[in-house]
Amino acid sequence: MTGTTTSVDWKRVRDDFPILRREIDGAPIVYLDSGNTSQKPSAVIEAMDAFQRTSYAPINRSAYRLAAEATDHYEQARAAVARLINAPRADDVVFTKNATEAINLVASSWGGANLRAGDVVLLTHMEHHANIVPWHMLAQTKGIELRWVPLTPDGQLDLSDLDQLLDGASVFAFTAMSNVLGTLNPVAKLVTAARDAGAMTIVDACQYVPHNVTDVQAWDADFIAFSSHKMCGPSGIGALWGRTELLDAMPPYIGGGNMIADVRLDGFTCAPVPAKFEAGTPPITEAIGFGAAVEYLESIGMAEVRRHEMELTRYAIDSLNERYGDDISIHGPDNVEVRGGVLSFAFRGIHPHDLSQVLDQRNVCVRAGHHCAKPLMRILGVNATARASLYLYNDRSDVDALADALDGATDIFGF
Ligand SMILES: Cc1ncc(COP(=O)(O)O)c(C=O)c1O
């Protein structure tokens, strides 16, 4: 890619994604919606296909060799996910449906067991609904209190009153990276502040893990949640990582097969973690795809992915601002050291939905809407934004295509 100084051949990376060779109306797709969900490389598609063709069988249940082999593949995927986030133990990675379910699991199981009326959960103004609604639900059922960390004008967390906000809090649940502003939060610092105040931490790492080196031991958080589909893997599977002692002590989330040690007429006992939290037949093939996605990202290197995206984000902010000046307003910090490749913007007063439809005429795929962050939209004073989000397969030509397509929108809406 032009402008990138690393050893990775980014053109080859792009070629790894078959859908990017597809054309609509004779022109290629410009996919700028990876913050929503990412495209899949051949390695992931082929790993899932090969597993279904040669090794598919139930896991954890049957003594025959094919089932043992499928179980091995499933556990290897767990080990790969654990390795990617530098988890000390693979068994502390629980496969969930997605990040949303992972956060609900903690709120429901840990929160259900440990929170009482009047207990405080601290959130931030930049959370996705997945890290708001589960806590609102606990507020409704248990009477917990929610507090909020506000934002600075450039879309970073305003930490000036953090100590007061954490005073007496039981939980601090926050995102590592905003899906609207792109802001990267100082996770280790926030965890330390929470720990000093005696609060448990859960990090919504859904936008972070796909784009950065993640080290749960360096973060020292209690739980982190993320989704496979945003990191080159399939949808239908995500992960919760938690501290062994917390996961061990938590009650199960849902009950059924696979999560028990014993069931009697008068009760049941749970299987150890992670099976305790994986009731029922899990998404087996999706786990294989998740593991393959991790291996694919590892083959490139997460530090390289981050470098590539920093360079591209800088290019995008500079070229859009240069070309459109005051007519474009990009939310979030300007400094790419503290932001990822998510670019929410307002353009010449054109409604984001209209804008995205016009961009689609040029095959430019961006998301328009509230991005499941309605409290943040209200704080920004908008109903919606258009959002272009970058990933490892994007390059400067995608950013240029976006900039050109915005000109097309200008023509249609008469500027
Ligand atoms: C910051 C953040 N958290 C949580 C989620 C929820 O992810 P999922 O829908 O995969 O559960 C998203 C999805 O957009 C997100 O961006």
Side-chain angles (χ1 to χ4, degrees):
M1 197 202 73
T2 352
T4 299
T5 51
T6 62
S7 55
V8 177
D9 182 347
W10 294 104
K11 164 81 177 67
R12 269 189 66 186
V13 169
R14 191 180 177 93
D15 289 345
D16 289 339
F17 292 78
I19 202 168
L20 300 179
R21 293 196 284 276
R22 195 187 147 188
E23 298 194 336
I24 298 179
D25 291 340
I29 297 169
V30 179
Y31 191 75
L32 294 172
D33 198 18
S34 301
N36 203 341
T37 198
S38 69
Q39 297 298 349
K40 320 302 171 201
S42 298
V44 168
I45 298 165
E46 282 159 15
M48 294 174 74
D49 182 74
F51 179 74
Q52 299 262 36
R53 285 176 192 280
T54 65
S55 307
Y56 183 81
I59 59 144
N60 294 342
R61 286 186 188 174
S62 307
Y64 52 88
R65 278 167 297 167
L66 192 64
E69 189 182 310
T71 304
D72 279 351
H73 283 296
Y74 184 79
E75 292 306 325
Q76 278 162 20
R78 192 191 309 281
V81 173
R83 196 171 60 233
L84 186 76
I85 60 171
N86 197 26
R89 257 177 34 119
D91 280 353
D92 295 334
V93 171
V94 175
F95 283 135
T96 59
K97 189 166 69 178
N98 46 35
T100 301
E101 190 181 60
I103 298 170
N104 273 271
L105 192 164
V106 174
S108 172
S109 171
W110 189 93
N114 293 288
L115 295 176
R116 305 275 170 271
D119 285 351
V120 171
V121 172
L122 180 62
L123 305 171
T124 84
H125 279 168
M126 64 168 78
E127 297 312 311
H128 185 282
H129 296 166
N131 196 29
I132 298 177
V133 181
W135 306 109
H136 271 319
M137 287 161 63
L138 272 187
Q140 284 171 3
T141 55
K142 291 201 146 219
I144 62 163
E145 181 197 329
L146 302 187
R147 286 184 197 155
W148 304 88
V149 180
L151 305 184
T152 61
D154 76 336
Q156 300 194 61
L157 293 179
D158 178 349
L159 301 177
S160 36
D161 292 331
L162 184 64
D163 289 345
Q164 287 97 304
L165 288 166
L166 276 170
D167 189 21
S170 302
V171 176
F172 187 14
F174 59 90
T175 188
M177 176 176 149
S178 165
N179 64 314
V180 175
L181 305 165
T183 315
L184 290 164
N185 289 323
V187 177
K189 178 178 161 180
L190 300 180
V191 169
T192 303
R195 175 135 313 125
D196 290 348
M200 182 278 272
T201 46
I202 171 158
V203 181
D204 175 356
C206 208
Q207 295 286 347
Y208 189 95
V209 173
H211 306 279
N212 297 275
V213 176
T214 305
D215 183 341
V216 292
Q217 299 188 53
W219 277 355
D220 207 24
D222 293 311
F223 297 99
I224 83 162
F226 52 105
S227 285
S228 150
H229 70 95
K230 291 187 198 288
M231 48 189 287
C232 301
S235 57
I237 190 161
L240 171 70
W241 171 85
R243 274 180 198 286
T244 311
E245 60 278 17
L246 293 177
L247 291 171
D248 279 346
M250 280 157 57
Y253 176 51
I254 55 170
N258 197 49
M259 51 73 74
I260 54 92
D262 191 19
V263 182
R264 302 167 309 278
L265 291 180
D266 63 352
F268 75 100
T269 48
C270 285
V273 173
K276 176 167 72 171
F277 296 113
E278 293 181 1
T281 304
I284 303 171
T285 307
E286 287 74 9
I288 305 315
F290 194 1
V294 167
E295 281 168 15
Y296 177 76
L297 289 170
E298 284 175 334
S299 74
I300 295 161
M302 293 312 299
E304 296 291 336
V305 171
R306 169 70 180 136
R307 250 193 297 279
H308 174 73
E309 290 181 23
M310 272 174 90
E311 191 275 337
L312 199 53
T313 305
R314 184 73 272 151
Y315 176 76
I317 294 174
D318 289 346
S319 57
L320 290 169
N321 280 335
E322 214 166 278
R323 185 147 163 189
Y324 293 111
D326 289 345
D327 287 341
I328 194 162
S329 163
I330 301 172
H331 296 284
D334 176 71
N335 179 0
V336 295
E337 298 287 336
V338 291
R339 79 172 293 151
V342 164
L343 300 156
S344 285
F345 59 94
F347 184 69
R348 291 182 175 158
I350 302 172
H351 194 283
H353 286 112
D354 293 336
L355 199 55
S356 89
Q357 277 180 344
V358 174
L359 297 182
D360 182 48
Q361 301 305 306
R362 306 268 190 110
N363 288 352
V364 176
C365 309
V366 301
R367 180 166 175 189
H370 54 65
H371 313 294
C372 300
K374 282 193 138 202
L376 175 57
M377 292 293 119
R378 290 197 173 91
I379 287 159
L380 296 175
V382 296
N383 288 322
T385 72
R387 183 187 72 180
S389 46
L390 308 166
Y391 205 9
L392 74 171
Y393 37 72
N394 292 119
D395 63 21
R396 288 184 177 199
S397 74
D398 296 319
V399 174
D400 295 342
L402 169 66
D404 291 345
L406 285 171
D407 249 346
T410 307
D411 296 341
I412 288 174
F413 290 98
F415 288 87

